[in-house]
Amino acid sequence: MLNKNTKITDKQHINIYSDESRHTSGGDDFMVIGAISCKRDEKRELVHKIHLLKKKHNAQGEFGWKRLSPNKKEFYFELIDFFLENDLEFKCIVVDKRLIDDKTFNDGDKELGFYKFYYMMLKDELRSDNIYHIYLDWQQNKQQHRFHNLKFFLAKKLSDRAKISCLEPVTSKNQPLIELADLFIGAVGYDYNKRKESEIKVAFCRKLANSLHQLNNNYFRYGRLDTFTKKDEKKFNIFKWQPRKIDE
């Protein structure tokens, strides 16, 4: 915590790597937007450790939820241990798409509604007196100003308590921490949508939930990720969105 005499150069720099899952998937009721965060000066070492894991398990190329397969089980399961053993945090927002009312709240603009959920997920992640570097997995938008507006409204919310140095889209290729975020987002979405088609994905969800329960036995009971945590939970935070009510 900084005191009033602390110089701005003493602020902690934090990297945030964000992605989404099941945003446009017609067969799933729940979408998930989430992010992995780490100290900026530790990012290089963390990525190096992931590359060593990939080399150890001969898991070259991109990885993520869609690429989870039985022949790479040991690699993916060891990524859970890597997350738990290192100074990394994960947070996501889970949204029941059946409850979204874009017509009332977003003038019918679904894309605007989507970025409002991005804002909700990120705003409580940005803690006072830090400097943030935010990287979102790139996607095509109808409105080109979406990323700029997201940064503007986040900065306005912070009211100079923290600073957003950058907020920019990047491709997930060669971004292992975005790929790790994608892996955990996919797992949460898989459980929330009651999917069971893939034995290896079910096993990954159980392994992740049981490992998190051992870390904090208040959460992730019964080997399930379709739950939610308290707002201040730092290591693995799941926020389940509930729509606001309009007074009749």
Side-chain angles (χ1 to χ4, degrees), residues 151-167:
K151 179 181 178 181
F152 172 81
F153 285 110
L154 284 171
K156 185 176 180 180
K157 175 69 175 179
L158 292 172
S159 301
D160 296 326
R161 290 180 288 111
K163 178 182 177 182
I164 299 177
S165 178
C166 70
L167 187 152

Side-chain angles (χ1 to χ4, degrees), residues 112-137:
L112 174 61
F114 171 71
Y115 278 96
K116 283 185 177 180
F117 289 122
Y118 242 122
Y119 171 84
M120 290 181 204
M121 187 275 295
L122 287 169
K123 69 180 178 68
D124 292 326
E125 179 73 7
L126 307 180
R127 300 163 194 161
S128 298
D129 303 315
N130 288 333
I131 298 175
Y132 289 93
H133 308 258
I134 305 173
Y135 306 97
L136 282 64
D137 190 30

Side-chain angles (χ1 to χ4, degrees), residues 6 44 60 76 98 125 141 149 185 203 227 231 242 246:
T6 304
R44 182 173 295 183
Q60 300 308 311
Y76 278 93
R98 297 167 296 183
E125 179 73 7
N141 295 318
N149 284 355
I185 291 165
T227 184
K231 185 177 180 179
Q242 295 293 334
I246 302 177

Side-chain angles (χ1 to χ4, degrees), residues 24 38 49 53 56 61 71 79 106 119 134 144 157 170 172 182 199 201 205 208 221 238:
T24 58
C38 69
K49 289 180 179 180
L53 282 179
K56 172 183 175 181
N71 65 328
L79 283 172
N106 305 311
Y119 171 84
I134 305 173
Q144 297 302 314
K157 175 69 175 179
V170 296
S172 60
D182 171 81
E199 290 186 11
K201 289 184 174 179
C205 291
L208 177 58
R221 297 181 178 91
I238 299 177

Side-chain angles (χ1 to χ4, degrees), residues 7-8 13 15 30 36 39 54 65 105 127 132 137 142 144 147 178 191 202 209 214 229 231:
K7 296 180 180 179
I8 192 170
H13 285 256
N15 282 13
F30 293 93
I36 290 277
K39 295 175 182 175
K54 293 175 73 173
W65 183 249
F105 296 103
R127 300 163 194 161
Y132 289 93
D137 190 30
K142 293 181 180 178
Q144 297 302 314
F147 296 113
I178 285 184
D191 260 3
V202 169
Q214 291 178 14
T229 63
K231 185 177 180 179

Side-chain angles (χ1 to χ4, degrees):
M1 180 67 68
L2 300 181
N3 58 48
K4 62 182 180 180
N5 296 319
T6 304
K7 296 180 180 179
I8 192 170
T9 53
D10 295 329
K11 288 189 174 184
Q12 181 72 61
H13 285 256
I14 305 294
N15 282 13
I16 295 178
Y17 301 90
S18 188
D19 201 357
E20 57 81 22
S21 176
R22 306 177 193 277
H23 167 221
T24 58
S25 175
D28 294 311
D29 293 330
F30 293 93
M31 74 172 181
V32 185
I33 304 172
I36 290 277
S37 62
C38 69
K39 295 175 182 175
R40 188 170 179 83
D41 60 4
E42 294 181 2
K43 178 253 184 180
R44 182 173 295 183
E45 178 62 22
L46 290 167
V47 170
H48 177 64
K49 289 180 179 180
I50 292 176
H51 285 313
L52 290 178
L53 282 179
K54 293 175 73 173
K55 184 176 181 180
K56 172 183 175 181
H57 295 286
N58 192 28
Q60 300 308 311
E62 292 185 66
F63 68 92
W65 183 249
K66 291 182 178 179
R67 293 174 173 81
L68 174 54
S69 60
N71 65 328
K72 291 292 185 291
K73 175 181 177 180
E74 289 76 15
F75 167 64
Y76 278 93
F77 278 33
E78 197 162 343
L79 283 172
I80 297 174
D81 299 330
F82 162 78
F83 170 76
L84 295 175
E85 293 166 2
N86 287 277
D87 190 9
L88 289 160
E89 295 179 1
F90 173 81
K91 179 177 182 178
C92 69
I93 180 172
V94 178
V95 179
D96 187 337
K97 294 184 289 186
R98 297 167 296 183
L99 303 180
I100 299 174
D101 186 355
D102 286 312
K103 182 178 180 181
T104 300
F105 296 103
N106 305 311
D107 295 325
D109 188 341
K110 292 184 178 181
E111 187 175 278
L112 174 61
F114 171 71
Y115 278 96
K116 283 185 177 180
F117 289 122
Y118 242 122
Y119 171 84
M120 290 181 204
M121 187 275 295
L122 287 169
K123 69 180 178 68
D124 292 326
E125 179 73 7
L126 307 180
R127 300 163 194 161
S128 298
D129 303 315
N130 288 333
I131 298 175
Y132 289 93
H133 308 258
I134 305 173
Y135 306 97
L136 282 64
D137 190 30
W138 184 91
Q139 61 179 312
Q140 182 67 49
N141 295 318
K142 293 181 180 178
Q143 299 291 332
Q144 297 302 314
H145 58 270
R146 295 301 189 196
F147 296 113
H148 173 79
N149 284 355
L150 180 59
K151 179 181 178 181
F152 172 81
F153 285 110
L154 284 171
K156 185 176 180 180
K157 175 69 175 179
L158 292 172
S159 301
D160 296 326
R161 290 180 288 111
K163 178 182 177 182
I164 299 177
S165 178
C166 70
L167 187 152
E168 58 188 52
V170 296
T171 59
S172 60
K173 187 176 182 179
N174 299 321
Q175 294 284 349
L177 292 175
I178 285 184
E179 293 170 330
L180 186 63
D182 171 81
L183 180 63
F184 293 155
I185 291 165
V188 173
Y190 202 78
D191 260 3
Y192 258 94
N193 286 293
K194 311 299 182 187
R195 302 287 291 270
K196 298 183 183 299
E197 301 91 334
S198 167
E199 290 186 11
I200 186 60
K201 289 184 174 179
V202 169
F204 182 88
C205 291
R206 298 295 82 76
K207 162 72 173 173
L208 177 58
N210 288 330
S211 298
L212 292 168
H213 181 67
Q214 291 178 14
L215 187 68
N216 184 341
N217 60 18
N218 291 319
Y219 305 116
F220 308 106
R221 297 181 178 91
Y222 315 115
R224 300 291 302 179
L225 296 169
D226 52 349
T227 184
F228 58 91
T229 63
K230 289 184 178 180
K231 185 177 180 179
D232 60 354
E233 178 65 21
K234 291 182 172 56
K235 187 63 177 178
F236 202 98
N237 186 302
I238 299 177
F239 167 50
K240 186 178 181 182
W241 172 76
Q242 295 293 334
R244 66 186 185 187
K245 295 181 180 180
I246 302 177
D247 294 333
E248 305 238 335

